[in-house]
Amino acid sequence: MKRLFYIDCCLRNGSKTKRIADALIERLSERYEVETIRLSDYDFPVVKDDILNERSNGFVPDEYVHIARKIAAADRLVISAPFWDMSFPSALKVFLENMSLFNVTFASSEKECYGLCKAEKVLYITTRGMNIKTGDVLEQATPYIKAISKLWGLGELHVIAAENMDYSTAEQVEEKIQNAIKEGETLCDAF
Ligand SMILES: Cc1cc2nc3c(=O)[nH]c(=O)nc-3n(C[C@H](O)[C@H](O)[C@H](O)COP(=O)(O)O)c2cc1C
């Protein structure tokens, strides 16, 4: 069975993003062996001088190398994260920085960086409080995920998003979640 690595950055109890993601991961687990990292269970450190010095001396914690290798080897990558401060939560950025490891997720020639990750497809699942669509200039999560995908050599990015969640009635929110699941399931069957 092919392997899928799932980065769950749903940080709130009762997360709406997680409801969509849970349904889609269940669907994908019919075809993929899924490994999940739940970022709310971790406190990845901010990358600064101490970590950079350790890296320069060839040291990276085994646990981080182990996770980064799994990301690099996965056939598919899924990220779920709510829309926070016009992007995704910093927990995800910090995690990605800790996984951005030379000779694991990316490498470099004399001229440029290139990716070492195998996944040809990436799925990003989100919900947004405001009525901001994927690709809007105010939506700064997707551009970053595309950019890190380029660095790491990840393939095509697909996005499942529900918007205006904070300005909709409970019934409308439920309908948006169900619609996102339906759209996502169709996408997942070809993912
Ligand atoms: C800390 C925080 C920051 C947020 N920032 C934004 C924002 O900048 N733009 C926006 O549209 N919604 C923002 N929201 C609203 C969330 O995107 C929205 O409620 C989303 O559906 C929450 O997803 P969740 O239920 O999975 O946590 C923010 C919510 C929180 C808790």
Side-chain angles (χ1 to χ4, degrees):
M1 218 179 195
K2 290 194 164 188
R3 282 178 295 168
L4 182 153
F5 195 87
Y6 171 37
I7 303 165
D8 173 357
C9 185
C10 297
L11 305 173
R12 220 174 47 78
N13 287 333
S15 162
K16 296 183 274 283
T17 312
K18 186 166 161 52
R19 282 198 48 209
I20 300 167
D22 282 351
L24 301 189
I25 287 293
E26 194 183 324
R27 187 74 158 221
L28 287 164
S29 65
E30 292 168 12
R31 292 193 298 119
Y32 290 97
E33 189 187 313
V34 177
E35 176 145 8
T36 302
I37 184 154
R38 199 159 285 116
L39 297 189
S40 57
D41 293 342
Y42 288 80
D43 277 310
F44 284 94
V46 169
V47 176
K48 50 189 180 178
D49 200 48
D50 50 351
I51 290 180
L52 295 175
N53 280 333
E54 285 180 351
R55 284 185 187 178
S56 309
N57 292 323
F59 175 79
V60 178
D62 284 347
E63 187 192 7
Y64 296 3
V65 176
H66 188 65
I67 300 168
R69 284 199 178 127
K70 283 185 180 172
I71 291 173
D75 296 289
R76 296 288 184 269
L77 189 70
V78 177
I79 300 171
S80 69
F83 192 56
W84 278 14
D85 300 293
M86 306 314 235
S87 182
F88 48 69
S90 58
L92 179 58
K93 179 68 162 72
V94 167
F95 172 72
L96 294 172
E97 284 184 24
N98 278 282
M99 296 299 116
S100 208
L101 297 176
F102 190 71
N103 278 344
V104 182
T105 40
F106 78 100
S108 177
S109 69
E110 273 173 22
K111 289 196 172 154
E112 59 177 2
C113 290
Y114 57 91
L116 295 177
C117 295
K118 185 175 155 197
E120 287 170 4
K121 292 183 183 181
V122 178
L123 171 60
Y124 162 51
I125 302 159
T126 192
T127 63
R128 305 186 188 110
M130 294 156 67
N131 196 15
I132 296 174
K133 302 256 185 285
T134 304
D136 190 303
V137 70
L138 298 176
E139 191 273 290
Q140 288 295 308
T142 306
Y144 179 79
I145 295 173
K146 273 190 188 151
I148 196 78
S149 294
K150 166 71 182 159
L151 177 66
W152 288 7
L154 297 162
E156 199 182 354
L157 176 65
H158 298 266
V159 183
I160 291 293
E163 305 95 13
N164 214 26
M165 300 306 248
D166 293 3
Y167 303 96
S168 300
T169 63
E171 291 74 24
Q172 288 168 332
V173 165
E174 191 54 37
E175 196 184 338
K176 284 169 188 282
I177 290 173
Q178 293 309 324
N179 286 344
I181 291 174
K182 215 177 282 171
E183 186 191 342
E185 283 177 342
T186 304
L187 196 153
C188 286
D189 289 344
F191 185 73

